[in-house]
Amino acid sequence: MSELLDNEIKFLPGVGPKRAELLESEAGISTFRDLIYYFPYKYVDKTRFYTVSELDTDMQHVQLRGKIRRFSAEGGGKGKRLTADFYDSTGMVRLVWFKGHKWVLNTYKTDREYIIFGRPTLFSGAFNIVHPEIEEVEKKAARVSSALEAQYSTTEKMKDHFLNSKGVSKLLATVFSQPTLRLAETLPVSITGSMKLMSLADALFRIHFPDSNSDIENARFRLKFEELFYIQLNLLRYKDSRTKNTRGFLFSVVGERLNTFYATRLPFALTGAQKRVIREIRADLGSGHQMNRLLQGDVGSGKTMVALMSMLIGADNGYQSCLMAPTEVLAIQHFNSIGRFIEGIDAEAALLTGSTKKSERARIEKGLLDGSIDILIGTHALIEENVRYSNLGLVIIDEQHRFGVAQRAKLWQKSECPPHVLVMTATPIPRTLAMTLYGDLDVSVIDEMPPGRKPIKTMSFTDADREKVFGFLRRQIEDGRQIYVVYPLIKESETLDYKDLEDGLESMARAFPPPQYCISVVHGRMTSKDKDISMNLFRRGQAQIMVATTVIEVGVDISNASVMVIESAERFGLSQLHQLRGRVGRGADQSYCILMTSHKRSTEASERINTMIATNDGFEIAEADLRMRGPGDLEGTQQSGMAFDLKIADLGRDGQILNLARSRATEILADDPELAGSGNHLLKVNLRRLFGKKYSWSDIS
Ligand code: ADP
Ligand code: MG
C-alpha cells in the first residue's frame, strides 16, 4: 500500500543514522508506520491558561503567559540555583533552575512574551516553578501542535539525543506533513459508517494531535476497536474454517468401559458442573467435527475426572487418548490416580516422560503402535515427533497456558484426521483474555466445587512472627495434618533461590527435628527418582512437612495436607499464589494458607497479598491480576503464539470494546464466511497483512 509508510525511519527529515538507531533499539520504531503507531501514553492539558493570582498548591500543572523581568543567581555550592521573576498582569512566580544556567541565560530574554508550563510549589511564601517548560508565544503559534499535548515514553538514551517526548512529537509532525503520506482506510464503510467511527487517517492524526478530549476518545475508540476486531475476526475465521474443513473422529458410542467405570469405580457423585461439562464434551465428540474445547475450573474442582471419563469414551470407540501434564511430578500423579480409578476396567494406561527408561519406552512405543495402550499420560514427550500412535483420537492438555493456537495447530500433524483437543486450566483466565488467547475454542466451565470443602483461611505474617507460625504448624501436625512450605524459584535467580530453600530447610529442620518430625524435600534439581521417593514419603503421611519449590504448583493432590506456607510470598504473582493455595483445602478439614512476607514490600506486593486474603475466587483473582499487571505479564501469554503486543487496547479495561469487536466479527462471518463479498475485500487484505505470517487457516484447511 502506501510506500511512504514502509520507509525506513532514517529517511525522515530530522532523524539521521544515530537517532534512527536509537528509535529502533529503544522504541522499536524502524519505519514511518512504526512511528505513527507509537502512541502517546497520556496527554497534558494545555487548553487552559491560568493567571498567577489563581495559583494553588493543589495544582499539578499550570500554564501561564507573561514576561521574565529579572534573572538572579542564588546560593552556592550544591544549592546553587538560577531564578527568574516571571510576571503576568496579576502577579509574580519564581522560576528556578538547578542546572543548565548558561543555556537558560542565553536562550531566554527579558523582553519577550513566553508561555511557561510546570508545577507550582509554595516556597518561602512565593510560588516557585522548578525547571519549567518555556516556549515563546510566537514560536508556539507556528508549530504543529495541539492544546492537549501528547506525552510519549522515551528512554534516557533517547533523551540524550533530543528524543524526549517533545522530540518524538516533532518527528510525528514531520511525518504527517509529508505530502505523499497516505493512510488508507482499513475498515469497510459498513463498519465505520454504522458505528460512526473516525476514519483511520483522522484517528492516527488525532491520537497524536488532538484538539479536544473528545478527539482523544474517538481516536482511541476507533484504534482499539480495530485492533481487537481484527484479532477476533482472525480467530473466528480460523475456528470457522477449521470446523468446516476438518473432519473429526466420530466417537459415537458410550460403551462398556465408561458404563462399567460409572457403575463400579466412580468413588463419588459427580458435581452438577462436572456432569454438564461431560455432556458438552460428549456432544463435541459425537458431532463428527473436531473438538477444540477449553475447560476452565478452579483448583480442586475435579477436572481430572472429566479428562478420565472423556478418555474412556475414546477407548470405547477404539481410539487412543493422551493426557499431557506440565511437569513430571504431575504426570506421575495423574498416572497413579488414573491407574487406581481404572482398576478392573478394560483399559490400559502408560506413563511416558523424559526420564522413562529405554526398555520401558520401547514397550510403550510398541503398545502405542499395536493399539494395546489406550491412555498415554506424560509430559511434552507425548507429542514429540517420534512418538507414534496407531489411532490417536483425543489429546488432553492439562495446565498449559503456552498452548496457544499455533501450538495446538501442530497437533494436527500427528495424524491425518486431527485428534480432538481438550485444554484444561485451573488458572481462571479473565473473559477478555480467554477471548483473545483462546478465542477460537469453545469454552466449558466447572463452576462448582465438590461438596464438603471449607473455604481456605489466608493470613500473612512477617519473620517477626515466625515462632508463632511454627507453633501453629506444630499444633496442626499434632492434629494429624500435613504441611507444605514453598519457596519461590525464579529462573533469573535460581542459584540464590536454591540457597533460600536450603537455608529455609535448615531452619525448618531445627524447629521440627527428627525423630518426632520428618521433612520431605522436592525441587527441580533432584532426579525424578528422588522426587518420587520424597513425594511418596509425604503422600503416605510418613513425612508431615514437605519443603518444595514451585514444582508442586499445579495439580499435586494430597487431601490430608491442610496448611500451605508460602515463603517470600511477595515475590510470587497472584495467579501463582492462588495455584499454590489450591494445593490445600482438598479434604474436609479447615485449611490454611500462610503468606510469609518480608517487612518491606512494594505497594503492589501488598495489593497482591491483600487480594489473596480477601478472596478465594480464582476469577476475581485473575481479574485483579490482569488489572495490576496487564496481559503481557500474565502467565504464558508471551509465548502464546498470538499477537499479544497490543498497541493500544488494554484487555484489563477494554472488555466492552472487545465484546463489540467480537460481535461485529461474528455478524460479518455469519453473512459471508469466506469474506468473498466485495464489501469485505478490505477485511481479507488486512487479515493477511496482520496475521499472514503468524499462522494462517489456509495451512490447516
Ligand atoms: P483439579 O480440577 O484441580 O485438577 P482434581 O481433578 O485434582 O482437581 O480433583 C481434586 C480432588 O477432588 C481429587 O481428589 C478428586 O478425586 C476429587 N473430586 C473430583 N470430583 C469430585 C466429586 N464430584 N466429589 C468429590 N470429590 C471429587
Ligand atoms: Mg488438575
Side-chain angles (χ1 to χ4, degrees), residues 300 303-304 330 333-334 398-399 424 426 554-556 583 586:
K303 293 184 293 298
T304 315
L330 269 178
Q333 182 182 286
H334 276 320
D398 193 19
E399 297 298 349
M424 306 199 294
V554 272
V556 170
R583 298 303 107 221
R586 301 188 150 224

Side-chain angles (χ1 to χ4, degrees), residues 335-382:
F335 177 69
N336 291 338
S337 65
I338 284 176
R340 276 195 303 277
F341 280 131
I342 60 173
E343 261 167 42
I345 306 285
D346 176 25
E348 177 75 19
L351 174 71
L352 182 66
T353 70
S355 47
T356 301
K357 286 215 184 63
K358 244 185 163 167
S359 55
E360 171 68 357
R361 201 182 160 98
R363 186 190 74 83
I364 291 172
E365 278 167 5
K366 185 169 164 293
L368 287 174
L369 278 180
D370 68 21
S372 59
I373 292 176
D374 304 289
I375 294 174
L376 184 64
I377 297 165
T379 49
H380 265 94
L382 295 190

Side-chain angles (χ1 to χ4, degrees), residues 172-209:
L172 278 156
T174 311
V175 169
F176 280 108
S177 67
Q178 301 297 301
T180 54
L181 180 74
R182 300 275 175 280
L183 294 166
E185 182 52 58
T186 42
L187 288 173
V189 202
S190 57
I191 295 179
T192 50
S194 66
M195 295 186 65
K196 299 198 171 58
L197 294 179
M198 219 181 215
S199 72
L200 179 68
D202 282 350
L204 288 174
F205 182 70
R206 287 301 167 195
I207 195 93
H208 296 293
F209 302 104

Side-chain angles (χ1 to χ4, degrees), residues 10 109 569 701:
K10 67 178 176 215
K109 307 288 173 229
S701 55

